[in-house]
Amino acid sequence: MRILLSNDDGYFAPGLALLAESLAGLGEITVVAPERDRSGASNSLTLDRPLTVRRSANGFLFVNGTPTDCVHLAVTGLLEHLPDIVVSGINLGANMGDDTIYSGTVAAATEGFLLGIPSIAVSLHGKEGGHYATAARVARELVERFRCEPLRQPMLLNVNVPDIEYRRVAGHRGYAPRQAAQGGAGHQGGHAAQPDRVLDRRGRRRAGRRPGHRLSRGRIRPRVGHAAADRPHAPAADRHGAGLARDEAAMSLAPERGIGMTSQRARDRMVARLREQGVRDGLVLEAMRAVPRHLFVDEALASRAYEDSALPIGFEQTISRPLAVARMLEVARDGRDLDRVLEIGTGCGYGAAVLARIARQVYSVERIAPLLERARANLRSLRIGNLRLAHGDGNRGLPEAAPFDAIVVAAAAPQVPPALHEQLARGGRLVIPVGVDSQELTLIERTASGLRETRLDAVRFVPLRSGKG
């Protein structure tokens, strides 16, 4: 059994050490916790700076982020395998009523639940901290129960244990966090539990959701090392008497490799999701796996790069969601070997980079000059030799390089531009979103008898505009 532990009091908190000790015999324990006290952080993610992961002398990993960051980093990149359960705590002070909205302890468990993993938040109801062992024992019993009777779907438990001897605990009672009344404030430890309520709604997967989130695309090197004992938040010695080591070992990664939510494992999960969503073309899937999407978005959004969502890239444009890219390329290729391909709407350059892995020669046209320069910068480190970028009006295509085996348009046109029809080779396929308020992905095929049009999926793209900017 794989168990992921976190908290909001910091990796040096006594409740976390006792929790790890109590659960040690039940399976493989991994601790990823904040580097300092992040009580009240709620379910928030760090978007404005890179995160650093370090290892303390007792083996705990700690992150310069929120409890939510810690769980998300662990699940989406640090761990080789998904944990079977996430346990957060042991928090000193109850988390009930309004507190559940702000609590970092509950937030860490919530993040696990939202990532599709059964999760438990454990808090000690009191401020003296005299009976951490009671809470640790209750946590162990709950994990043991889960191990013996695995759930069919993810669940989230918020467990508040009275600060008394274990023999005086009458039993376990479930408590479901509820929405605070408007204007309500948190009152740590000041509410009575609601009996017989367990939060158990179906979990939803968020590939790096927020995606993500937080990691540098490589401009600042992510590091995994040892904590320095002279950090302001570090205790003189940990609970077991081992001081934190002063030496640091840094691990640098090339930007295209990434770490955490931008790692190869994140791309692998994206490809697995695309398969589940019906993409079958192995060459397209391998191209999607190979191209590091996080290099093509703003650094603050890099950790969201492998979500199935469109992300802003500036100039009122977006990078298309992975499913849209994969679906369009699968339709355009149709199992064929592609010679010349034209892309309309270079954007940040991601689609062109993927296309370059499935076609012999790729041409890509972008009307917005500053965006085209950004695409060039994004593509530079990948050293793609079979890709040519051009500044122009996508409605005109690229007649000097025609005809094309496939044309892929990454913006929606009110109707198919005639120039694109003309630049399609015999047997060629044009894939374009068509429509204004209601858009449909449309396939145009040039056959021996003429053009054939097929309407495919409902989609949503930015509009295809005329002219150059």
Side-chain angles (χ1 to χ4, degrees):
M1 184 180 194
R2 301 182 183 94
I3 305 171
L4 173 62
L5 303 185
S6 193
N7 72 351
D8 69 352
D9 293 324
Y11 71 96
F12 47 82
L16 182 63
L18 270 173
L19 183 63
E21 183 179 317
S22 177
L23 301 180
L26 299 182
E28 178 185 331
I29 305 292
T30 302
V31 178
V32 184
E35 70 173 359
R36 61 182 176 87
D37 189 336
R38 296 304 302 267
S39 298
S42 190
N43 190 230
S44 60
L45 293 153
T46 302
L47 298 174
D48 59 349
R49 55 184 169 82
L51 294 181
T52 300
V53 183
R54 296 187 179 183
R55 187 182 300 276
S56 68
N58 64 359
F60 292 0
L61 296 174
F62 61 92
V63 179
N64 60 333
T66 66
T68 301
D69 288 328
C70 294
V71 172
H72 198 98
L73 264 176
V75 172
T76 61
L78 294 176
L79 300 178
E80 290 292 336
H81 304 282
L82 288 176
D84 297 301
I85 193 166
V86 174
V87 185
S88 176
I90 301 168
N91 187 69
L92 181 57
N95 279 306
M96 296 184 287
D98 297 348
D99 298 330
T100 59
I101 300 173
Y102 309 105
S103 166
T105 303
V106 176
T110 300
E111 187 68 8
F113 167 70
L114 293 176
L115 289 167
I117 303 165
S119 301
I120 304 173
V122 183
S123 302
L124 191 63
H125 195 334
K127 287 298 185 181
E128 298 301 320
H131 299 89
Y132 275 112
T134 300
R137 184 167 174 181
V138 169
R140 181 183 176 90
E141 290 176 356
L142 290 172
V143 174
E144 284 180 326
R145 182 184 301 178
F146 167 79
R147 186 175 65 168
C148 295
E149 302 175 13
L151 299 173
R152 294 182 180 178
Q153 62 183 26
M155 59 84 188
L156 172 61
L157 288 180
N158 181 35
V159 181
N160 291 273
V161 181
D163 192 4
I164 58 178
E165 295 180 3
Y166 179 80
R167 61 183 177 83
R168 295 176 55 200
V169 176
H172 301 165
R173 173 177 293 173
Y175 174 78
R178 58 178 176 167
Q179 185 72 27
Q182 187 173 3
H187 307 287
Q188 189 82 352
H191 302 287
Q194 297 180 2
D196 305 322
R197 297 183 62 197
V198 176
L199 182 61
D200 187 13
R201 55 190 174 85
R202 188 172 184 82
R204 56 182 174 88
R205 287 197 173 273
R206 299 184 298 176
R209 162 177 102 85
R210 299 203 294 254
H213 305 310
R214 306 162 275 289
L215 286 183
S216 166
R217 293 185 293 170
R219 294 186 179 93
I220 299 176
R221 292 180 174 181
R223 292 144 54 96
V224 175
H226 294 284
D230 55 358
R231 294 180 70 86
H233 59 270
D238 65 23
R239 180 174 181 81
H240 302 287
L244 298 179
R246 287 179 179 270
D247 58 301
E248 292 186 355
M251 178 184 70
S252 65
L253 291 170
E256 61 270 18
R257 286 186 57 193
I259 186 174
M261 286 82 70
T262 64
S263 69
Q264 183 62 55
R265 285 197 296 278
R267 296 206 283 280
D268 291 343
R269 293 188 185 107
M270 177 189 73
V271 169
R273 185 180 66 241
L274 291 172
R275 281 201 182 94
E276 292 173 358
Q277 292 170 321
V279 179
R280 295 289 177 263
D281 190 315
L283 188 59
V284 170
L285 290 172
E286 284 309 307
M288 299 283 288
R289 188 197 307 276
V291 177
R293 191 171 185 253
H294 64 275
L295 295 184
F296 295 87
V297 298
D298 188 85
E299 188 170 324
L301 297 173
S303 56
R304 297 190 57 192
Y306 300 103
E307 292 182 5
D308 191 24
S309 58
L311 297 173
I313 56 174
F315 305 96
E316 299 182 346
Q317 304 298 304
T318 62
I319 179 175
S320 300
R321 56 189 289 226
L323 179 59
V325 175
R327 172 70 170 144
M328 293 177 77
L329 298 191
E330 184 174 51
V331 171
R333 197 173 95 84
D334 193 36
R336 303 172 298 154
D337 291 332
L338 297 177
D339 185 21
R340 289 188 168 217
V341 174
L342 173 64
E343 179 191 44
I344 302 299
T346 311
C348 60
Y350 175 70
V354 177
L355 265 172
R357 286 187 165 266
I358 66 175
R360 188 186 67 83
Q361 186 68 53
V362 176
Y363 299 85
S364 185
V365 177
E366 174 57 53
R367 62 176 292 272
I368 303 173
L371 191 55
L372 183 64
E373 290 309 307
R374 184 177 298 177
R376 292 188 196 278
N378 291 339
L379 291 160
R380 193 166 293 127
S381 66
L382 300 182
R383 301 180 180 276
I384 300 174
N386 63 330
L387 172 61
R388 300 290 180 267
L389 304 184
H391 182 215
D393 182 350
N395 287 278
R396 295 185 61 252
L398 198 64
E400 58 268 34
F404 300 101
D405 296 322
I407 301 175
V408 178
V409 183
Q415 55 274 331
V416 180
L420 301 186
H421 285 152
E422 296 167 4
Q423 294 171 33
L424 201 59
R426 185 169 178 176
R429 295 164 72 89
L430 163 62
V431 183
I432 179 172
V434 177
V436 180
D437 295 327
S438 177
Q439 301 175 5
E440 287 183 297
L441 190 63
T442 302
L443 168 65
I444 308 292
E445 300 172 87
R446 180 175 291 283
T447 68
S449 57
L451 297 174
R452 180 171 61 205
E453 180 176 312
T454 307
R455 297 298 176 98
L456 302 173
D457 313 318
V459 292
R460 195 68 191 167
F461 281 78
V462 296
L464 178 66
R465 302 192 185 282
S466 300
K468 296 194 293 184

